[in-house]
Amino acid sequence: MMRLYILHGILFRAVMVDLGQVRIVPLKLSYQAVFDWLFLEISRWAERQHHQLRRLLRQRGCVVVSYRRQGHVYVVHYRQRGYLREAIYSIEILRAECQELVGQWIAHYQRGENTP
């Protein structure tokens, strides 16, 4: 659950950064409305999931104390049952897993289902 919390947190911030980058690139035609909608929807979904997972973690006695990128890893410190713990995730693996989340969101949207 901690990993999903971190993934959704990274995803909703990364999508907004990507939207800013897409807006900078000049295109032959204007797709801005499509980009705005798509990126904002994915970001909102990821942010809702992030906050929901944070609530679930808190209900289970787990609180994230800090998180930061450190070289090629993402370091998370969290308190669980009174103990301070550390989780270390590879940036490349997190990026690939975020890409999978985006793919899942798009697949659910295309099928007309509620987002995962």
Side-chain angles (χ1 to χ4, degrees):
M1 193 178 316
M2 177 63 69
R3 185 180 199 84
L4 282 175
Y5 169 77
I6 297 302
L7 281 173
H8 284 93
I10 290 170
L11 180 60
F12 85 79
R13 289 186 296 273
V15 168
M16 295 312 294
V17 170
D18 287 349
L19 177 59
Q21 292 297 320
V22 168
R23 287 179 175 166
I24 293 171
V25 177
L27 302 172
K28 301 284 185 210
L29 298 173
S30 177
Y31 306 98
Q32 196 59 48
V34 174
F35 284 132
D36 284 351
W37 174 83
L38 177 65
F39 283 65
L40 291 173
E41 279 298 309
I42 293 172
S43 181
R44 284 184 194 127
W45 167 77
E47 188 173 14
R48 282 191 306 270
Q49 296 300 311
H50 177 74
H51 291 298
Q52 183 180 25
L53 287 164
R54 180 177 61 201
R55 281 190 297 276
L56 288 172
L57 285 168
R58 283 186 179 167
Q59 288 173 358
R60 295 182 180 184
C62 184
V63 177
V64 174
V65 176
S66 68
Y67 52 89
R68 71 185 184 287
R69 184 177 179 160
Q70 188 175 344
H72 297 289
V73 295
Y74 197 76
V75 180
V76 180
H77 291 105
Y78 61 98
R79 187 169 304 282
Q80 185 177 29
R81 298 186 188 121
Y83 293 97
L84 187 62
R85 300 179 187 269
E86 180 179 74
I88 300 172
Y89 302 104
S90 164
I91 296 291
E92 291 302 315
I93 292 173
L94 289 175
R95 183 176 292 133
E97 290 175 337
C98 281
Q99 186 64 53
E100 286 180 24
L101 286 175
V102 169
Q104 290 172 10
W105 185 91
I106 291 170
H108 278 69
Y109 178 79
Q110 288 175 336
R111 289 192 303 259
E113 300 173 0
N114 290 334
T115 52

